[in-house]
Amino acid sequence: RVSRLPANIVEISFPKNNFKYEPGQYVFVCIPKLSIFEWHPFSISTSPYMDEVLLHIKVLGDWTKALYD
């Protein structure tokens, strides 16, 4: 799920399933509708003990602005 939040924040969430991570880790994200060649790193903003993985992305450049739009 991709959601627009106030203050130019985009939230990306997906079910954890078998995805394992530790606090402080990040993931590389590709959004094919924006570009199939661009991958961007974002910190995981949820506890590893939750059932859902959340990324909170602040609009800071062209790619994140396009994602927000």
Side-chain angles (χ1 to χ4, degrees), residues 28-40 63:
F28 280 92
V29 174
C30 177
I31 306 292
K33 282 193 167 200
L34 300 180
S35 173
I36 60 171
F37 301 110
E38 290 187 57
W39 291 80
H40 296 267
W63 191 88

Side-chain angles (χ1 to χ4, degrees), residues 3-65:
S3 306
R4 289 171 62 164
L5 302 177
N8 290 334
I9 303 290
V10 176
E11 179 182 81
I12 297 178
S13 64
F14 55 92
K16 185 175 174 184
N17 295 333
N18 292 324
F19 184 74
K20 296 186 188 311
Y21 61 94
E22 298 292 327
Q25 286 187 307
Y26 59 93
V27 294
F28 280 92
V29 174
C30 177
I31 306 292
K33 282 193 167 200
L34 300 180
S35 173
I36 60 171
F37 301 110
E38 290 187 57
W39 291 80
H40 296 267
F42 296 103
S43 296
I44 300 169
S45 57
T46 50
S47 166
Y49 303 107
M50 298 183 73
D51 294 332
E52 184 176 50
V53 179
L54 294 176
L55 309 175
H56 290 95
I57 301 167
K58 174 77 172 166
V59 173
L60 293 175
D62 294 338
W63 191 88
T64 53
K65 174 70 170 125

